[in-house]
Amino acid sequence: MELQAVLMAAGGGSRMTDLTYNTPKAMLPVGNKPLIWYPLNLLERVGFEEVIVITTKEVQKMMSMDPKIKVEVKMKLDVVCIQEDGDMGTADALRHIQQKIKTDILVVSCDLITDVALHEVVDLFRAHNATLAMLMSKAHEFTETVPGQKGKKKTAEQRDFVGVDQSGQRLLFMANEADLEDGLSLRKSVIRKHPRMHIRTGLVDAHLYCLKKAVVDFLSENKSISSIRGELLPYLVRKQFSKTSPLNSEGEAAKFLFLMLLCVIRTFMVRAQELSCWNDHRGDMSEAYHGGKLRCYVHILEQGLCCRVNTLAAYIEANRLAPKLFEEPAVHPSSVISERCQMGSDSIIGALCQVADKTSIKRSTIGNSTTVKEKVKIANSIIMHGVTIEEGCNIQGSVICSNAVIGRGADLKYCLVGSGQWIEPEAERTNEVIVGTDQLMEI
Amino acid sequence: SKEEKQRLRKEKKQQKKSKEKKDDKESHVSSAPPAVPAPVSNSVPASEVAVATEKPTKSKAELKAERRARQEAERATKQTKKGEPGQQGATGKPKAPPSELQPGMVKRLSEHVQVDDPDVLKKLAKKLERQQIPLRSDYGYKVSLFSHLHQYSRKAPPTQQLSIPSTVIHPAIVRLGLQYSQGIVAGSNARSVALLHAFKQVIRDYTTPPNEELSRDLIKKCLFYYMNLFPLKKFVFFLINVTYRVFFNTIIFLIFPASAKKKRFAKSKLLTSIEWYIKEKIILAATAIAHSSIEKISDGDVILVYGCSSLVNNILCEAYDKQRKFRVIVVDSRPRLEGREALRRLVQKGISCTYVLISAVSYILPEVSKVFLGAHALLANGYVMSRVGTSQIALVAKAFNVPVLVCCETYKFCERVQTDSFVSNELDDPDDLIVTRKGKTQLAGWQQVASLGLLNLVYDVTPPDFVDLVITDLGMIPCTSVPVVLRVKNVDQ
């Protein structure tokens, strides 16, 4: 077997607590499908037959009940539950399932929605015998107004600095702005080996990694690493250019040597490489890959959809773009739409909905089992499941979470209505986050 | 008369038999899959049977040989259809496979590539589909003289349609195909070694399905992988030669001692035999060739090399270690520019080098005392198949009366016969020829220009008149002695 897929679905959605305090992030509806369905679909399309899903008990229960996942996902899902409140990072989760991992792994996050040709990432991993291959994409500006955002969008959200070589594939440098004190320092050894480096800041990490099995074994020995993105990746990228001298401090060197030993370089690859007349760089006297055994590659997606749904803005954007990925009818056959409803072409209506007359729905997503009464205007909004919208409402640019009730005549502009909330009739709210008081107490 | 009638009846019988055999063959010699060379089809039965003849079925094989030879002759006369790709070149070898290997099970591959024939393509597509191998489509306009060959683009990798945890094709083979197509493993020796190691991996991971026999199923699987490699990888025909010889000699050798105990060791035997093959035929051969070539290098020599041949580099490095004083001129050519890698290795060693492009060869040749060339394969009529440009160098060297020495291991010797570079060759990605200088790419829109075609050939053949000596691990032989070596080798086997 070549690759095992691991889906990380235990994340709490810490950056969009308003949406996730009732529904776990993995099950948030995007385009009327649970968020976790998108990476599962990606893996299935590409040909995986089994996926190890690391998630919480709550998500597992919801997944088993969700029709979309039960019916449409044909792969075998091996669900591993971990404690929700435990402070388990992604690397800790990998350590937890170390027994199940028999071969190289493909780690995917549950909040990734993309139409990337996955073979591009995996080809880098295969062809160069890389330790790590990851996917990054050009970040797109979010154009939609985010409900509840006071003032302009916060700029400089902790940029990532990613250094790639001339071909744009080899990963040379990775650091987050938060870790850099006053400047970006590059090691001389890196510059000597790769004199031309492109440093890019506008990239979004898709959290899709191909890792060698040796890395997982290394993690099990090295218990101090708890996050893949935050700690493991920068470590691997740094260690590409590290000298394997035992003169360094004992613990560090030992751990690193362990990793190197585990990256078993099969002798035949070395022999074939020696005989081959290929080199990945030119201009200096060293052999291919500078003789380095640890290699990290990145595939940067210039065009195409790749978004990670971890903030509210991203969630809204995803709802806008995700339906375009699939050719599905805009209106679910089981829902009842009256003829006098004006529905825009880029709106989606879920199953078992009831939409009454004289309603206008533009550029919106309406979830399952939602009731929309007469004379309602919905524009640029996301309505989740089980919502009741009474007559005469005007909803613009808002996100209404599941099981909310919007009283008649309410006028909501750019609001976020939490789960199960009740908006009183004739309410006029603009740019507000309306959530329950019990949620407000959670810090 | 009566005799005539008898003769006619005999002929009819024979025709019937040959027709049956022909149908049988054509069912498994199905039409022109891409880039499969003669040695594939030739050496499959050849080596299969060659080994079979080791065993007690010798007499039967001889009879079959005669019958087969007769059928070949008849078929040759009957051939009217254009590009009947199912034809197998007539070999003197008995082709009847040993009784245990049913030919129907084994899908043989044809020697001729015939891409511009739509029927052939259709058959190929169907065959690949049956085996669940994705068909890789050709790219761009092909120059008419080479329209019968495949031309793939590097931007459409073979793995596009494969499932990612590739279950149908062993991941080692997928990786190999990928490395071939991206040029990471380039050069004939490197490719052979990589291919053999990939197959070692396949064998290691192979488990006999419950109802099948180890040997039969393994052969089936291996042939399946070969077929997969053709859409995946580039045309490297003699590699098939190589691996078939290794495999089938050993696999079939293991069929006959069918005892259970032997089967358990069959796998490890296979693996060790592959190791042995690499060690003896490639690594030790390189040492032997280096040893003999050093006698040909004298102090004060100016040696011309072309491109990057691992063997020639090895020779020069060894000669340098043995304190010979010489300098090297590295000739390079676009678009591959492999000479840069050769230059790096030689300069790293400490040899003083000069670097020119092939367009300057006639200016630099008056300085040169010897030309060392590497080969991709040596054909049975003495022609040398090597990187495109080699024949040019040999030609110019001949005109300047500079001795041309070709260094080639014996495993690269091939029973194939070819007199020109058109019949079977490889077309590389035409976009490699496009170069961007100062931000301007002149040929960017070449596909829109109707009368423009880009041709990126990979191999060419050099006639034996231009080659003065071939240095092999068996010694130094003239180019025309290749068939002798082949004959001797086959007798040995």
Side-chain angles (χ1 to χ4, degrees), chain B residues 235-490:
Chain B
F235 164 88
V236 183
F237 69 95
F238 80 96
L239 287 190
I240 318 305
N241 204 5
V242 160
T243 27
Y244 271 142
R245 286 219 191 116
V246 175
F247 273 145
F248 294 106
N249 286 348
T250 41
I251 294 179
I252 296 173
F253 176 67
L254 297 171
I255 289 179
F256 290 94
S259 66
K261 198 169 87 157
K262 279 285 170 72
K263 273 190 190 161
R264 245 177 286 139
F265 296 126
K267 251 204 214 178
S268 53
K269 262 198 170 172
L270 257 180
L271 291 175
T272 46
S273 76
I274 295 181
E275 259 305 303
W276 166 91
Y277 191 90
I278 295 178
K279 189 148 171 253
E280 180 174 311
K281 301 280 180 182
I282 302 181
I283 300 176
L284 285 181
T287 332
I289 293 176
H291 192 75
S292 10
S293 335
I294 285 174
E295 302 162 23
K296 290 289 174 192
I297 300 179
S298 28
D299 284 346
D301 261 348
V302 179
I303 299 179
L304 187 119
V305 296
Y306 177 62
C308 183
S309 163
S310 54
L311 195 53
V312 173
N313 291 342
N314 191 20
I315 292 172
L316 295 175
C317 293
E318 292 273 319
Y320 188 76
D321 286 337
K322 295 249 166 60
Q323 317 300 330
R324 294 278 195 276
K325 305 277 176 290
F326 58 94
R327 66 184 180 93
V328 176
I329 299 181
V330 178
V331 178
D332 203 4
S333 71
R334 278 199 66 230
R336 285 173 175 246
L337 292 169
E338 287 170 339
R340 295 186 294 195
E341 183 60 22
L343 188 66
R344 177 188 78 80
R345 288 180 198 195
L346 296 173
V347 172
Q348 197 180 30
K349 194 78 187 178
I351 304 172
S352 60
C353 300
T354 311
Y355 178 87
V356 291
L357 287 181
I358 194 168
S359 41
V361 127
S362 52
Y363 299 110
I364 203 114
L365 257 169
E367 294 179 20
V368 173
S369 60
K370 294 188 180 66
V371 176
F372 272 80
L373 297 174
H376 178 84
L378 237 67
L379 306 174
N381 56 348
Y383 278 64
V384 178
M385 174 175 273
S386 186
R387 187 66 75 212
V388 66
T390 317
S391 58
Q392 285 304 296
I393 303 229
L395 173 68
V396 182
K398 181 82 180 173
F400 279 87
N401 268 329
V402 173
V404 173
L405 294 90
V406 170
C407 310
C408 180
E409 298 97 332
T410 45
Y411 83 95
K412 292 182 185 166
F413 285 20
C414 180
E415 292 104 1
R416 208 159 179 204
V417 168
Q418 205 175 312
T419 50
D420 59 58
S421 318
F422 303 114
V423 154
S424 84
N425 205 323
E426 189 183 334
L427 293 179
D428 206 354
D429 188 356
D431 289 337
D432 284 349
L433 294 172
I434 301 175
V435 65
T436 307
R437 284 196 225 281
K438 295 188 188 164
K440 283 207 281 199
T441 315
Q442 305 288 8
L443 286 172
W446 71 273
Q447 307 233 33
Q448 276 75 44
V449 181
S451 51
L452 181 62
L454 294 189
L455 179 65
N456 191 355
L457 280 181
V458 182
Y459 300 110
D460 71 4
V461 283
T462 309
D465 329 327
F466 299 154
V467 176
D468 293 307
L469 195 64
V470 177
I471 308 179
T472 70
D473 42 327
L474 294 176
M476 304 200 219
I477 56 174
C479 228
T480 44
S481 304
V482 170
V484 177
V485 171
L486 283 171
R487 199 167 48 231
V488 165
K489 268 174 55 153
N490 289 326

Side-chain angles (χ1 to χ4, degrees), chain A residues 2-3 46-48 118-119 122-123 126-128 266 268-269 271-279 282 284-287 289, chain B residues 157 159-160 163-166 171 174-175 178-179 182-186 190 193 197 278 308 310 338 340-341 344-345 347-348:
Chain A
E2 195 187 356
L3 277 183
V46 152
F48 277 96
L118 210 53
H119 72 87
V122 182
D123 279 351
R126 287 169 179 150
H128 298 277
R266 302 157 212 153
F268 66 82
M269 279 297 294
R271 214 186 269 155
Q273 204 65 52
E274 278 170 23
L275 293 169
S276 166
C277 59
W278 178 82
N279 205 324
R282 48 187 179 87
D284 64 359
M285 280 294 163
S286 43
E287 51 188 348
Y289 306 125
Chain B
T159 49
Q160 238 175 2
S163 68
I164 292 233
S166 58
V174 175
R175 184 185 295 135
L178 205 57
Q179 286 178 331
Q182 292 189 358
I184 295 176
V185 174
V193 172
H197 278 290
I278 295 178
C308 183
S310 54
E338 287 170 339
R340 295 186 294 195
E341 183 60 22
R344 177 188 78 80
R345 288 180 198 195
V347 172
Q348 197 180 30

